[in-house]
Amino acid sequence: MDRAALERHIRDTPVEGSPAEMRAAFLRLAQAGDAPALPQVARVGGCDGRWFGRGGRPVVWLHGGGYVFGGSDTHAAPARVLAGLTGRAIFVPDYPLAPERPWPAQRDAVRGVLDALDRPDVVGDSAGGHLGLVLGLSHPHLMRRLAVLSPNTDRSGQSTTRTRNSATDLMNDDAQDRRLSDMALGHLRDDDPEASPLLGELGTLPPLFMAATTIEVLLDDTLLFATRAGREGVPLTLRVLPDLFHMWHLWPDATPEGRGILRDVAAHLA
């Protein structure tokens, strides 16, 4: 599948409706064709998930999907590629999903995974990036390095790209992002650091890699966070890629930039 075909697939597969309908649509969207063979479900630290690859210090990938959809099945492609690039085993937890299990169920489930794996490296995308940052801020001793791709970091209104880029981001818009956030985090104030990690004390974070794209809704979430983290002395690498939609890395075989950013993540974790 080339970039044009992928963009048609995204437009033809809207993720909308009830939570169950969104989960089914996002799985169709992520797999973009025949369903791949998946590893058996495993249990780590009380949380189910799947391992991709083997060997080396483990890496935990916290999947995106607004805390409402997504899982080890939707993120199999990038997890497999990252396992190949690093020569390490990647565990993708199937943490609890909202609205059935609102926050902090996700945080608590993944903390159990990190406890069980003895300071793994952590990767997170979108909501999974938010989850990685929250855990990195509250429990930095549980992870060695952290890489986040287009994380949600701010609900306090500082971002301008949440509205400005809603028309250009094929995979996300501000209204949908808020709807998903409200299902999981709606009981938190927007200025609570667990909802907006941008407002937390960032200086204790482990070495951090961040990436986003120029036309996605969450661009400012990354830029604002990177600016504050850098000022507070966090060892930081930032990549901003042009003209790509949110979660572009889900299709590393269709977007050279997707495979490229996974190489950058692998280099950060080395």
Side-chain angles (χ1 to χ4, degrees):
M1 179 183 293
D2 62 16
R3 171 74 178 269
L6 175 59
E7 292 189 3
R8 287 194 298 273
H9 172 64
I10 292 170
R11 291 189 181 95
D12 291 344
T13 316
V15 179
E16 57 192 17
S18 68
E21 290 168 333
M22 286 191 284
R23 289 165 193 161
F26 188 66
L27 180 58
R28 292 193 303 272
L29 179 64
Q31 291 181 340
D34 295 334
L38 294 170
Q40 290 188 335
V41 172
R43 196 164 183 82
V44 174
C47 185
D48 287 345
R50 288 184 171 93
W51 286 101
F52 299 87
R54 62 181 63 193
R57 178 187 289 271
V59 177
V60 175
W61 185 307
L62 306 177
H63 70 81
Y67 294 130
V68 176
F69 45 81
S72 59
D73 49 2
T74 63
H75 281 60
R80 280 198 176 101
V81 170
L82 187 61
L85 290 168
T86 58
R88 296 163 63 180
I90 315 294
F91 184 68
V92 184
D94 289 313
Y95 56 72
L97 296 177
E100 297 89 342
R101 299 283 304 280
W103 187 270
Q106 300 78 16
R107 181 201 66 197
D108 295 346
V110 171
R111 182 179 176 183
V113 173
L114 301 185
D115 274 326
L117 292 180
D118 187 22
R119 292 191 74 233
D121 290 328
V122 175
V123 179
D125 63 309
S126 195
H130 168 272
L131 180 51
L133 290 170
V134 169
L135 285 164
L137 290 170
S138 58
H139 302 288
H141 61 286
L142 292 180
M143 61 184 73
R144 192 179 69 101
R145 286 176 172 265
L146 176 61
V148 291
L149 308 178
S150 307
N152 296 77
T153 73
D154 182 53
R155 295 280 168 200
S156 69
Q158 296 185 53
S159 168
T160 61
T161 59
R162 283 180 173 266
T163 52
R164 189 178 76 231
N165 285 359
S166 284
T168 58
D169 189 341
L170 279 178
M171 284 285 291
N172 197 15
D173 63 60
D174 186 48
Q176 171 83 331
D177 195 79
R178 171 59 76 170
R179 179 190 175 207
L180 297 176
S181 175
D182 284 349
M183 289 186 194
L185 306 167
H187 56 292
L188 299 179
R189 289 170 51 99
D190 285 346
D191 61 0
D192 187 319
E194 293 224 326
S196 297
L198 174 67
L199 305 182
E201 297 296 327
L202 309 189
T204 60
L205 281 169
L208 179 63
F209 176 91
M210 304 190 78
T213 83
T214 57
I215 62 171
E216 68 170 319
V217 164
L218 297 183
L219 171 61
D220 271 358
D221 281 53
T222 292
L223 298 180
L224 292 165
F225 194 96
T227 299
R228 272 211 59 207
R231 285 175 177 162
E232 295 190 25
V234 177
L236 173 71
T237 301
L238 171 66
R239 288 287 313 278
V240 179
L241 286 73
D243 302 327
L244 287 163
F245 40 81
H246 187 55
M247 298 183 86
W248 74 99
H249 54 276
L250 274 185
W251 303 275
D253 292 331
T255 61
E257 299 91 346
R259 191 169 292 268
I261 207 67
L262 295 175
R263 285 195 293 269
D264 292 342
V265 169
H268 174 71
L269 303 184

